[in-house]
Amino acid sequence: MKGEAVTLEQIDKNFAKTAVVRNVSIAVQAGEFLSLLGPSGSGKTTLLMMIAGFETPNRGRISVGARDITFEAPNKRDVGMVFQKYALFPHMTVAQNIAFPLRMRRFGKAEISDRVDAMLATVQLEGFADRLPLQLSGGQQQRVALARALVAEPPVLLMDEPLSALDKKLRETLQIEIKRIQKNLAVTVVYVTHDQEEALTMSDRIAVMADGELMQIGAPTDLYHRPTNAFVAGFIGKMNFLDGEYLGQDGGEAVIRLTETATLKCPVSTVPAAAGQRLTIAIRPEDVAVRQCDGFSPQCVRGRIEAALFVGAAYVILVAIEGHSGKVLEARFAATGGSQPFVPGDTVDVIFEPHALKLFASQQRQAA
Amino acid sequence: MTKPMKIRSLTGRAAAPMPNGLSARQYPLGLSLLLIAPLFLLLGFGFIYPVGRLLGQSFFAPELGLDNYRRLLETSLYLRVLIRTITVAFVVMSASLAIGYPVALAMARLRRDLSSLVMACVLLPLWTSALVRSYAWIVILQRRGLVNDVLSGLGLISEPLKLLYTEGAVILAMTHVLVPFMILPIYGALRAIPPDLVQAARNLGADRVNVFIRILLPLSLPGVFAGCLMTFILALGFYVTPALVGGPSSLLMATLIGQQTTETLDWGFAGALSTVLLLVTLLIVILFRKVLSHSRGISNVA
Ligand SMILES: Nc1ncnc2c1ncn2[C@@H]1O[C@H](COP(=O)(O)OP(=O)(O)OP(=O)(O)O)[C@@H](O)[C@H]1O
Ligand SMILES: [Mg+2]
């Protein structure tokens, strides 16, 4: 088996006149592990259903390799799928479940039994062949579902939140196992998940969806460090958003007024606003430095500690910025021994590292 | 993740005052008995007692002995009626299955509003009494009824066919009355099959025919068995319809028992007939259960 590319071109999908997927184009490379990540209702499952053939798009084209499968019957697509609730056939044993796709393809008896045995070994379920699905734990059922989806060696495998019903420990074990199997078989995977940590650890690339639209697609580090819009910035990891006014350029740096008395400089030349307009400044909690108040320093704003928390590996402090009407700002720094250096009520200086600042147009949609 | 933990801690707290070995999933015995009591009372006074008396009379009336049974076994007419009753019940069951399964399948696959509409059509006949429905068949099948009128109007027959008071009429009318009892359990079983399973089967390469043969049919078997059992047993004891649309040549057990109790007033013989009918019914139930327990996994599904 060799993975094949999956290409979605300008896909639209409406359910009873409401657009659920809007103009989505994604090119999944052969052998790639691509995750679809997005809030509930963003159209991830719908997209998967269109690749699997249970829904047809209102517009656009879907192809696997060079084959156009947009309107192909689901049983002719050769696209494997693992369902969220496993969807094992309750009246068939584990072996019969795994053999099902082979029997549908009229494989010989000997070959079926060889392949089923090999697949049982791959998912580490030797000895479970004659059990019924009901006699298996959730994790074991998920492995059977995976084995069944892969046994006929489809070039593409779709998974819709395959681990969401399992507890955290098991989820992590299976994440590693799925990744290992995917690597070995070189199958192309399109993986839907709610869990961004899961997406970040497993994926070659992540496509972030919101409201049926593709917000950004890229490697996990790209999305984290170089979000192209406020939604992705807020959705992947933690992000502080502050409202500011763009004053103009000064020596290749954007100058932004944050409060009456404080301005920030940011080394970007392309700013998503015209001079005098409002925009959104974004900074990750770990990039915010907080220091005991010592008068003036550049990139610095006066603030008051609202709360100081110890969260294990880090201290988190929430700072209300003086003269700024927005939300409190979250700062986070490694807890290296000692005790929390700040006390609620302290007045502090908040320092914005210039290279950590990102600027977005102020009317952009943000993740909740 | 958090949910199962919460549940565990809740049951953990409740576990303290519970006696050893008792699961929280079961009610205490006393409460269960209290809940079941009305049913048992009804069963006792309304069923066990009168039926027991009737069966008892088969051995005592008119005098102690097995005379009633000897008479039943020695008269070929009565044996023929018994065999005919079983045959008719079987045919009615098969016809109901043949008509009912496709309807149930369509209902389970239809959009919700359409499926409610079909459901209403299936249930509609149940809202009218069996008596009315049987009279309806008389209107349709009699010598100058709808069928004969149409056929002779088309010039297909020169004189009216004898349709009423035949075994065919009995089977037709009984099937009409009993088919909802076949449709409902099959529909229930089909509806309970998660749509995921069908999608999974399609995804794994099954065409529509294979989806039906390998997934829908086996998983709906509990409903099929329930429907068959129900229609068969109801057909065995059916009284009103055969009495109205059947004739002497299509006499069935229930009608025969009716005659003994209302016309000849031979309660002993009526009791003997009832006993035999009851035994046949029990035998069938046991047979059905055997078949059911042999089809592996099915009992786990429903
Ligand atoms: N069969 C359908 N008919 C009508 N609307 C639908 C149908 N299926 C999905 N939708 C709607 O389409 C939108 C996208 O649904 P979809 O299931 O693709 O979201 P999702 O991203 O998979 O969400 P989740 O993370 O909750 O699974 C939702 O608003 C949903 O209500
Ligand atoms: Mg979904």
Side-chain angles (χ1 to χ4, degrees):
Chain A
M1 166 171 39
K2 201 81 193 120
E4 281 192 64
V6 178
T7 318
L8 307 177
E9 291 166 82
Q10 301 183 310
I11 303 292
D12 280 353
K13 177 69 186 174
N14 308 326
F15 281 121
K17 298 221 173 82
T18 39
V20 168
V21 171
R22 276 178 280 185
N23 197 23
V24 169
S25 299
I26 300 176
V28 192
Q29 274 139 43
E32 186 179 21
F33 194 115
L34 179 105
S35 289
L36 295 175
L37 185 63
S40 192
S42 56
K44 308 181 296 289
T45 298
T46 308
L47 216 49
L48 222 54
M49 286 293 157
M50 287 190 282
I51 304 176
F54 301 118
E55 299 286 352
T56 49
N58 294 74
R59 184 176 71 110
R61 223 173 79 102
I62 303 173
S63 38
V64 168
R67 275 188 301 146
D68 182 342
I69 58 161
T70 316
F71 300 107
E72 185 78 279
N75 54 320
K76 300 271 172 58
R77 294 197 173 202
D78 211 14
V79 168
M81 177 142 184
V82 176
F83 290 78
Q84 185 170 5
K85 290 186 225 129
Y86 323 133
L88 298 178
F89 305 131
H91 57 304
M92 298 184 194
T93 62
V94 167
Q96 286 167 339
N97 263 285
I98 300 176
F100 188 87
L102 301 178
R103 290 179 63 188
M104 290 302 111
R105 289 168 175 75
R106 304 186 180 289
F107 278 60
K109 264 221 167 75
E111 165 129 45
I112 289 182
S113 110
D114 284 353
R115 283 221 199 180
V116 169
D117 287 347
M119 213 61 225
L120 280 171
T122 306
V123 296
Q124 300 171 356
L125 280 179
E126 301 104 324
F128 289 84
D130 295 323
R131 299 251 197 125
L132 287 171
L134 269 151
Q135 300 163 330
L136 299 177
S137 72
Q140 291 164 341
Q141 291 186 33
Q142 190 55 60
R143 285 166 211 246
V144 176
L146 187 64
R148 187 180 66 174
L150 286 173
V151 72
E153 308 194 340
V156 177
L157 181 65
L158 311 175
M159 296 196 227
D160 194 356
E161 307 195 31
L163 305 180
S164 62
L166 306 174
D167 68 40
K168 194 168 161 59
K169 258 250 153 59
L170 193 54
R171 215 154 57 210
E172 281 164 2
T173 317
L174 278 172
Q175 280 171 10
I176 295 168
E177 213 166 305
I178 289 174
K179 195 66 196 164
R180 171 180 65 82
I181 293 170
Q182 184 257 339
K183 276 256 169 65
N184 283 347
L185 302 177
V187 58
T188 310
V189 169
V190 180
Y191 190 97
V192 169
T193 179
H194 257 113
D195 181 345
Q196 54 163 289
E197 220 174 285
E198 189 169 292
L200 290 172
T201 52
M202 295 179 83
S203 319
D204 296 320
R205 283 193 303 161
I206 299 173
V208 180
M209 306 265 306
D211 267 347
E213 285 179 64
L214 178 64
M215 302 306 286
Q216 189 176 352
I217 181 165
T221 49
D222 271 347
L223 297 187
Y224 192 83
H225 294 298
R226 285 172 291 281
T228 57
N229 53 65
F231 181 84
V232 174
F235 192 72
I236 308 277
K238 282 239 166 168
M239 187 68 90
N240 292 300
F241 290 104
L242 295 166
D243 194 39
E245 186 190 345
Y246 177 50
L247 297 178
Q249 290 283 327
D250 176 17
E253 294 189 317
V255 183
I256 298 139
R257 190 209 300 281
L258 189 60
T259 66
E260 281 298 313
T261 54
T263 57
L264 300 176
K265 283 186 171 180
C266 176
V268 293
S269 44
T270 52
V271 178
Q277 280 186 335
R278 306 211 66 82
L279 49 57
T280 301
I281 308 157
I283 186 164
R284 296 216 181 266
E286 61 266 33
D287 294 328
V288 177
V290 177
R291 179 173 313 152
Q292 294 296 351
C293 192
D294 65 352
F296 179 82
S297 49
Q299 295 292 104
C300 165
V301 184
R302 180 69 55 86
R304 202 172 58 84
I305 307 272
E306 295 270 295
L309 314 163
F310 174 58
V311 294
Y315 290 118
V316 169
I317 61 175
L318 303 176
V319 191
I321 293 172
E322 221 165 71
H324 193 273
S325 57
K327 292 177 289 190
V328 291
L329 188 73
E330 180 180 328
R332 172 182 281 259
F333 46 91
T336 45
S339 57
Q340 169 70 273
F342 297 102
V343 187
D346 278 3
T347 306
V348 291
D349 282 343
V350 180
I351 298 153
F352 294 87
E353 213 280 297
H355 290 277
L357 292 177
K358 292 168 190 71
L359 305 177
F360 300 108
S362 66
Q363 72 280 5
Q364 245 180 31
R365 186 201 145 111
Q366 290 179 10
Chain B
M1 175 61 198
T2 57
K3 230 181 185 169
M5 298 247 302
K6 250 184 215 156
I7 289 166
R8 214 170 296 141
S9 69
L10 278 179
T11 51
R13 203 181 309 145
M18 218 177 341
N20 285 345
L22 199 65
S23 153
R25 268 186 239 169
Q26 286 159 358
Y27 285 142
L29 190 63
L31 180 57
S32 302
L33 286 180
L34 196 68
L35 290 171
I36 301 170
L39 180 69
F40 274 166
L41 280 179
L42 214 62
L43 198 68
F45 286 114
F47 183 74
I48 308 261
Y49 173 72
V51 170
R53 261 195 77 103
L54 186 62
L55 299 191
Q57 285 198 342
S58 68
F59 300 102
F60 297 115
E63 61 205 28
L64 187 66
L66 293 172
D67 282 352
N68 286 320
Y69 291 93
R70 193 168 305 133
R71 181 169 149 218
L72 198 162
L73 290 176
E74 282 170 358
T75 319
S76 70
L77 169 71
Y78 299 140
L79 281 181
R80 274 213 307 282
V81 170
L82 180 61
I83 289 167
R84 184 188 301 132
T85 304
I86 294 170
T87 317
V88 165
F90 187 80
V91 173
V92 167
M93 177 192 85
S94 309
S96 300
L97 182 59
I99 296 168
Y101 199 104
V103 176
L105 189 64
M107 274 164 62
R109 297 289 129 193
L110 275 178
R111 292 212 323 264
R112 210 159 247 291
D113 47 346
L114 284 179
S115 111
S116 319
L117 189 74
V118 179
M119 174 69 96
C121 294
V122 169
L123 292 180
L124 195 64
L126 288 183
W127 300 343
T128 54
S129 79
L131 195 67
V132 174
R133 275 174 291 164
S134 304
Y135 276 122
W137 280 108
I138 294 179
V139 171
I140 293 170
L141 296 177
Q142 64 196 340
R143 282 183 72 79
R144 301 227 23 98
L146 190 65
V147 175
N148 273 321
D149 278 359
V150 169
L151 287 180
S152 60
L154 291 174
L156 292 174
I157 51 172
S158 53
E159 59 185 83
L161 297 172
K162 179 176 164 53
L163 299 170
L164 206 54
Y165 310 124
T166 60
E167 210 168 292
V170 172
I171 288 170
L172 189 63
M174 273 169 71
T175 304
H176 172 223
V177 175
L178 291 179
V179 81
F181 295 95
M182 183 65 87
I183 293 176
L184 291 179
I186 296 177
Y187 170 72
L190 284 170
R191 194 93 211 187
I193 299 174
D196 272 14
L197 294 189
V198 175
Q199 287 191 342
R202 295 279 282 158
N203 177 257
L204 295 167
D207 54 20
R208 284 174 200 283
V209 175
N210 269 308
V211 168
F212 177 72
I213 294 175
R214 292 173 197 279
I215 310 295
L216 295 181
L217 188 60
L219 288 178
S220 65
L221 279 186
V224 171
F225 280 118
C228 285
L229 192 62
M230 209 138 53
T231 48
F232 192 85
I233 290 174
L234 285 172
L236 274 183
F238 225 71
Y239 179 69
V240 181
T241 305
L244 287 176
V245 303
S249 65
S250 54
L251 191 64
L252 298 184
M253 284 296 273
T255 322
L256 192 62
I257 296 171
Q259 281 176 1
Q260 303 304 314
T261 55
T262 57
E263 288 164 31
T264 60
L265 298 181
D266 189 345
W267 284 87
F269 191 56
L273 289 171
S274 306
T275 310
V276 170
L277 192 58
L278 192 64
L279 285 178
V280 170
T281 309
L282 283 178
L283 197 72
I284 304 279
V285 172
I286 289 166
L287 269 175
F288 263 101
R289 291 205 65 93
K290 269 252 146 55
V291 176
L292 193 63
S293 64
H294 269 291
S295 44
R296 183 171 57 129
I298 280 169
S299 41
N300 292 332
V301 177

